[in-house]
Amino acid sequence: MSQQNSTKWTAEVISIGDEMTSGARLDTNAQWLSQRLAELGIEVLFHTTVCDTLAHNVNVFQTAARRVDFVVCTGGLGPTRDDLTREALSEVASDPLELRKQALDHIETLFSSRGRPMSERNRLQAMFPSTSTIIPNPLGTAPGIDLRLREDASDHVCRVFALPGVPAEMMPMFDQYVAPSLVSNNGDQHVIRSLVMKFFGTGESAMEERLGDTIARDRQPRVGITVSAATISLRITAHAETAQECEAMIADTKTEILGRVPEYYFGDGENYEQYHAIDSSLRSRGESLMVVELGYAAPLNDWFASLGDTPSYRGGLSLANERELRRHTSASALAEAITQLKSQFDVDWLLLVDGYPSLNSPLVREPSETMPNASVKMLVSSPDGVLHERKSTIAGHPDILQPRIGKTAMEHLRAVMAATDLA
Amino acid sequence: MSQQNSTKWTAEVISIGDEMTSGARLDTNAQWLSQRLAELGIEVLFHTTVCDTLAHNVNVFQTAARRVDFVVCTGGLGPTRDDLTREALSEVASDPLELRKQALDHIETLFSSRGRPMSERNRLQAMFPSTSTIIPNPLGTAPGIDLRLREDASDHVCRVFALPGVPAEMMPMFDQYVAPSLVSNNGDQHVIRSLVMKFFGTGESAMEERLGDTIARDRQPRVGITVSAATISLRITAHAETAQECEAMIADTKTEILGRVPEYYFGDGENYEQYHAIDSSLRSRGESLMVVELGYAAPLNDWFASLGDTPSYRGGLSLANERELRRHTSASALAEAITQLKSQFDVDWLLLVDGYPSLNSPLVREPSETMPNASVKMLVSSPDGVLHERKSTIAGHPDILQPRIGKTAMEHLRAVMAATDLA
């Protein structure tokens, strides 16, 4: 019942402007609005971006009015000839535009307060469909429009909130006017919470098979799977009447997931990575680490540096190859070089990657049927000075091959640390 | 005439995935595709993003088929239950799916090359509408679909190109298959050439002002401007009957641009970065470099390592702060530490960044009206041992602040090298 309720309302986000359909600008409003709407328990089914042409704007609003309960659109409310949102809405609603004194006063006040003359065209910004409500815009000259579109055929009503495209004006207008209007529509399930679980070491489809119906689309709470550079994120999203109910549902689902796929899990949080997990176990053991990266990349140097002023990470070194490393430490053997570096950096642990391959091979420049492969040696030196070696053949697209190698090395380090933990 | 020809065709870009309609991920494919389509003389009228629900996917494809000549869609071609693009296209075209051996062989080859077992669900990726053509995907398991949708009512035909959502796979598939297919639709101007010029050191709007009508949308050849992590790319795209004509048009435009904005230019090529420019001048001088990065990031260690077996780059060091650097070299002063490192790494040049700020400040966690600022010291030690210091206050969104600091440091190094060149 409340489940139904949580998927009862649907929305479409519409962004208006040639600058986006031409690719000159990246639309970030749609993402921001989608996150806010999801938090309000409203499911966003579509984003639409449309150029500054009246007929196409009308087409887009008509299409949206048929398929969702709410539309939040941004852009096209300015004073220029390109700004067609109020005309388009007037046409779709067959509702003539009328001048609203309240809006005109606001615009005139704003101009005089800025000591600027008000152009005739700005009067257009005070024109509204007769059945619409003004959405106040404290920060700009373009008030928003709150209008209900009725379909003659059905009883379906689609409520449109038209906001300016400028994020600094759009965001407060959404928070102060649109969000409260939506919540009052949304029955009892107005609370939404989510948790992101992170995994590394397997592929997306293998992961999905292991998870089975845990990721069924109609399941509550819903579990969504996404992959970024070989790291898998599971997002658990719960709707309920209280935050407490949400947290309980999320906890149960997390337990079920860990029961199915325990071995690749390393932590929770959208931005939580393996180096955070390594940092926290090093801290709890009071131990420290340095990384040495050989070859054509050094992602671990960058990632571990982001930990900043932690006692657990002491720094990193990046060199071309093992010969360079031996020359650098004037050591005759790799083991000797590692011992010297550990004392120079004053660390308990050392992680060495030998090495990141060149991405400039013909294979990578002219991709063939198979992905580039790299046979990589990963060496971990534990506090007792023992060397734990792992050789992996790692494949991946050029854009993610080096990060995947770095992440595989961290997986090796975590495994060695876990083993010495048990010992 | 050819101008008309070049604006004759219209397109819609469709992005498929809950992770975008939910706001979990920002869609960047639509912007990239819109730029490419514009360069091909095709006008993009709509972007649509749709969730992973079959009925809504069908709805979106039907709507697009009625209003544009071409659709380029991304996503929904994977092996999981959420991947519905091929089913949706099959339903819209009333064209049953059939197994294509060629595609199946490709997928099996890819899995064996990665040494991973192929999941049953991956077989689905070899299913295609019977009237469709396979778009090869050399880099991934998801081949694309090239399908014509006919409207019974009118004679209108909409050609759909379905590509994977992974940009690394989608982009080459567009360049190698879709672009040539579209150009063959585009009248006599079937030859396209483009050149990307790279700039660093100024903002987008300042750049646009300097360029004036060079970036007018109706200009031939067209010049498109995009910004990525503070690096500005100008893409010159020429259409003509012969490659020779294209090259000539591009050369003229490049000369005009360099006349207007000479000082921020550092080279040509989509993936050409400042460290490539630094590498080539070091090579021509027979000199070498190392980098030292202090603080919460080490992007230069990663970027310069990618140069690999060049004699010009000897390695990098990443440490928490200057104190750590002095302790590490057991030097009493920074200058002394630098001298020691230069002899240990055996280099002519040293670039030091002190230092990358933490991104965990409240300001950065909750970005306000003002962007986070970092006051950063960049030190260059030239072959004669002289220290060239530059202090900059660098602002930027958390996502690009650290890269921007690294790029500003490279700009400083290039300036010092240029000066000593002249000397």
Side-chain angles (χ1 to χ4, degrees):
Chain A
M1 181 198 80
S2 45
Q3 248 70 343
Q4 289 175 337
N5 213 338
S6 72
T7 55
K8 183 165 148 200
W9 302 102
T10 61
E12 175 162 350
V13 175
I14 298 177
S15 308
I16 300 168
D18 285 344
E19 72 279 12
M20 285 171 292
T21 49
S22 69
R25 287 269 175 294
L26 181 63
D27 175 24
T28 53
N29 284 345
Q31 182 185 28
W32 187 88
L33 287 167
S34 297
Q35 289 167 348
R36 292 296 164 281
L37 289 162
E39 288 160 10
L40 297 170
I42 293 171
E43 190 180 13
V44 175
L45 302 182
F46 309 92
H47 296 171
T48 302
T49 306
V50 59
C51 59
D52 297 312
T53 304
L54 185 58
H56 296 319
N57 277 257
V58 170
N59 171 308
V60 160
F61 281 117
Q62 284 168 336
T63 303
R66 278 192 295 269
R67 61 189 185 186
V68 293
D69 304 306
F70 299 103
V71 166
V72 181
C73 78
T74 59
L77 291 176
T80 76
R81 286 184 185 73
D82 286 352
D83 293 300
L84 302 164
T85 301
R86 61 179 61 77
E87 273 175 75
L89 285 173
S90 165
E91 183 170 331
V92 173
S94 318
D95 182 5
L97 294 170
E98 64 180 26
L99 185 75
R100 294 282 175 88
K101 176 125 187 10
Q102 167 199 351
L104 186 59
D105 293 346
H106 166 73
I107 296 168
E108 285 170 342
T109 312
L110 210 57
F111 270 93
S112 56
S113 75
R114 294 180 186 175
R116 286 214 245 100
M118 178 181 135
S119 99
E120 230 348 88
R121 291 200 63 86
N122 287 101
R123 287 178 61 88
L124 286 178
Q125 298 184 290
M127 302 292 289
F128 286 76
S130 65
T131 63
S132 69
T133 307
I134 295 174
I135 303 177
N137 177 0
L139 299 177
T141 60
I145 303 171
D146 173 3
L147 175 68
R148 286 174 169 76
L149 298 176
R150 278 180 184 69
E151 253 207 305
D152 307 337
S154 65
D155 294 350
H156 181 61
V157 175
C158 173
R159 186 172 177 184
V160 178
F161 301 94
L163 305 174
V166 183
E169 297 177 17
M170 178 276 285
M171 293 173 179
M173 291 170 77
F174 181 90
D175 291 335
Q176 290 158 32
Y177 182 100
V178 181
S181 312
L182 291 172
V183 168
S184 63
N185 267 301
N186 201 30
D188 53 359
Q189 290 218 313
H190 39 74
V191 180
I192 183 164
R193 290 287 183 277
S194 68
L195 173 77
V196 176
M197 301 174 66
K198 304 295 278 298
F199 300 80
F200 181 82
T202 185
E204 181 175 12
S205 36
M207 187 76 175
E208 235 207 359
E209 276 183 7
R210 293 277 297 276
L211 290 169
D213 56 16
T214 315
I215 49 174
R217 310 229 25 237
D218 51 1
R219 188 183 185 284
Q220 280 295 336
R222 170 105 188 258
V223 178
I225 182 168
T226 53
V227 183
S228 173
T231 301
I232 294 180
S233 299
L234 296 184
R235 173 181 296 268
I236 309 170
T237 306
H239 298 261
E241 292 181 38
T242 68
Q244 205 174 10
E245 290 176 74
C246 288
E247 302 301 350
M249 293 161 80
I250 289 172
D252 292 347
T253 298
K254 178 176 176 177
T255 307
E256 181 180 345
I257 291 171
L258 286 177
R260 288 169 179 264
V261 192
E263 72 269 48
Y264 303 117
Y265 170 75
F266 64 81
D268 296 337
E270 182 107 53
N271 302 313
Y272 194 84
E273 301 294 344
Q274 288 186 87
Y275 49 87
H276 296 115
I278 291 166
D279 179 41
S280 63
S281 26
L282 284 172
R283 283 167 176 267
S284 66
R285 303 155 72 121
E287 296 173 340
S288 61
L289 168 75
M290 75 172 288
V291 298
V292 179
E293 295 182 283
L294 306 181
Y296 290 71
L300 295 172
N301 270 274
D302 194 29
W303 293 338
F304 277 98
S306 70
L307 295 170
D309 57 5
T310 172
S312 71
Y313 182 66
R314 312 277 301 137
L317 184 65
S318 162
L319 294 165
N321 50 47
E322 184 187 325
R323 182 174 35 73
E324 279 297 307
L325 177 60
R326 279 189 271 100
R327 196 193 55 69
H328 183 82
T329 52
S330 41
S332 55
L334 180 60
E336 183 189 342
I338 288 175
T339 312
Q340 283 192 25
L341 284 175
K342 282 179 75 173
S343 73
Q344 190 191 7
F345 281 78
D346 184 22
V347 292
D348 306 295
W349 295 84
L350 180 145
L351 172 61
L352 176 135
V353 180
D354 182 12
Y356 297 90
S358 168
L359 298 182
N360 297 322
S361 70
L363 175 68
V364 177
R365 276 208 308 283
E366 292 148 29
S368 75
E369 282 300 294
T370 59
M371 308 248 243
N373 275 266
S375 175
V376 182
K377 181 172 76 177
M378 292 158 294
L379 260 185
V380 169
S381 168
S382 44
D384 54 14
V386 176
L387 293 181
H388 310 261
E389 176 171 329
R390 171 170 158 189
K391 275 205 168 66
S392 295
T393 300
I394 299 169
H397 181 277
D399 290 358
I400 69 162
L401 180 60
Q402 312 291 39
R404 173 174 282 174
I405 289 170
K407 290 176 177 182
T408 307
M410 289 193 285
E411 187 192 15
H412 176 49
L413 174 60
R414 283 170 45 228
V416 173
M417 289 178 67
T420 60
D421 240 351
L422 305 174
Chain B
M1 182 198 78
S2 43
Q3 243 69 343
Q4 289 178 338
N5 214 338
S6 72
T7 55
K8 184 164 137 201
W9 304 98
T10 61
E12 175 162 349
V13 175
I14 297 177
S15 308
I16 300 167
D18 285 347
E19 70 276 15
M20 285 171 293
T21 49
S22 69
R25 290 264 178 296
L26 181 63
D27 175 24
T28 53
N29 286 344
Q31 181 187 28
W32 187 89
L33 287 167
S34 297
Q35 290 166 354
R36 293 293 164 284
L37 288 162
E39 289 158 8
L40 298 170
I42 293 170
E43 189 182 12
V44 176
L45 303 181
F46 309 93
H47 296 171
T48 301
T49 306
V50 58
C51 60
D52 297 313
T53 304
L54 185 59
H56 297 317
N57 278 257
V58 169
N59 172 307
V60 160
F61 281 117
Q62 285 169 336
T63 304
R66 278 192 294 269
R67 61 190 184 186
V68 292
D69 303 306
F70 298 104
V71 165
V72 181
C73 78
T74 60
L77 291 177
T80 75
R81 286 192 192 80
D82 285 352
D83 293 300
L84 302 164
T85 301
R86 62 180 60 76
E87 276 174 72
L89 286 174
S90 166
E91 183 170 330
V92 173
S94 320
D95 183 3
L97 294 171
E98 62 179 26
L99 185 77
R100 294 281 175 89
K101 176 121 185 14
Q102 169 199 350
L104 187 60
D105 294 345
H106 165 72
I107 295 167
E108 286 169 343
T109 311
L110 211 53
F111 270 92
S112 55
S113 79
R114 295 184 197 174
R116 282 240 195 88
M118 180 180 132
S119 116
E120 239 334 281
R121 294 198 64 83
N122 287 99
R123 286 179 63 88
L124 287 178
Q125 299 183 290
M127 302 292 290
F128 286 76
S130 66
T131 63
S132 68
T133 306
I134 295 175
I135 303 177
N137 178 2
L139 298 175
T141 59
I145 303 171
D146 173 4
L147 176 66
R148 287 176 168 77
L149 299 176
R150 279 181 183 66
E151 254 209 305
D152 307 338
S154 65
D155 295 351
H156 181 61
V157 174
C158 174
R159 186 173 178 184
V160 178
F161 300 95
L163 305 175
V166 182
E169 297 177 15
M170 177 277 286
M171 292 173 179
M173 290 169 78
F174 182 89
D175 290 335
Q176 290 159 30
Y177 183 99
V178 181
S181 310
L182 292 171
V183 168
S184 64
N185 271 299
N186 203 26
D188 56 354
Q189 298 202 307
H190 45 77
V191 180
I192 295 176
R193 289 291 183 277
S194 69
L195 173 76
V196 176
M197 300 174 66
K198 304 296 277 300
F199 299 80
F200 182 83
T202 186
E204 182 177 14
S205 42
M207 192 74 175
E208 278 175 340
E209 270 182 20
R210 295 276 297 275
L211 290 169
D213 56 17
T214 314
I215 50 175
R217 285 185 61 184
D218 54 0
R219 188 183 186 281
Q220 281 294 338
R222 175 159 172 192
V223 178
I225 181 169
T226 52
V227 183
S228 171
T231 300
I232 294 180
S233 299
L234 295 184
R235 175 180 292 267
I236 309 170
T237 306
H239 300 255
E241 294 182 38
T242 69
Q244 206 175 9
E245 289 175 74
C246 289
E247 303 301 349
M249 293 161 80
I250 289 172
D252 292 348
T253 299
K254 178 177 177 177
T255 307
E256 182 180 343
I257 291 171
L258 286 178
R260 288 168 179 261
V261 192
E263 72 270 49
Y264 304 115
Y265 170 75
F266 64 81
D268 296 336
E270 182 113 51
N271 302 313
Y272 193 84
E273 301 295 343
Q274 288 186 88
Y275 50 87
H276 295 115
I278 290 166
D279 179 42
S280 63
S281 25
L282 284 171
R283 282 166 176 267
S284 66
R285 304 156 70 122
E287 297 173 340
S288 62
L289 167 74
M290 74 173 287
V291 298
V292 179
E293 296 180 283
L294 306 180
Y296 289 72
L300 295 172
N301 270 275
D302 194 30
W303 293 338
F304 276 98
S306 70
L307 295 170
D309 57 5
T310 172
S312 72
Y313 182 66
R314 312 276 300 139
L317 184 65
S318 162
L319 295 164
N321 50 47
E322 183 186 326
R323 181 173 35 72
E324 279 297 307
L325 176 59
R326 279 189 270 99
R327 196 193 54 70
H328 183 82
T329 52
S330 41
S332 56
L334 181 60
E336 185 189 335
I338 289 174
T339 311
Q340 283 191 27
L341 285 175
K342 282 180 74 173
S343 72
Q344 189 191 9
F345 281 77
D346 183 24
V347 292
D348 306 296
W349 295 84
L350 180 146
L351 172 60
L352 176 134
V353 181
D354 182 11
Y356 297 89
S358 168
L359 296 182
N360 296 323
S361 72
L363 175 66
V364 177
R365 274 208 309 281
E366 294 151 27
S368 72
E369 288 295 301
T370 60
M371 300 249 203
N373 274 271
S375 174
V376 181
K377 181 173 76 176
M378 291 158 295
L379 260 185
V380 169
S381 168
S382 43
D384 54 14
V386 175
L387 293 181
H388 310 260
E389 176 171 329
R390 172 171 157 188
K391 275 205 170 67
S392 294
T393 300
I394 300 169
H397 184 280
D399 293 352
I400 70 160
L401 181 60
Q402 310 291 38
R404 171 174 282 174
I405 290 170
K407 290 175 177 183
T408 307
M410 290 194 284
E411 186 193 16
H412 176 50
L413 174 60
R414 282 170 46 230
V416 173
M417 289 178 69
T420 59
D421 239 353
L422 304 174

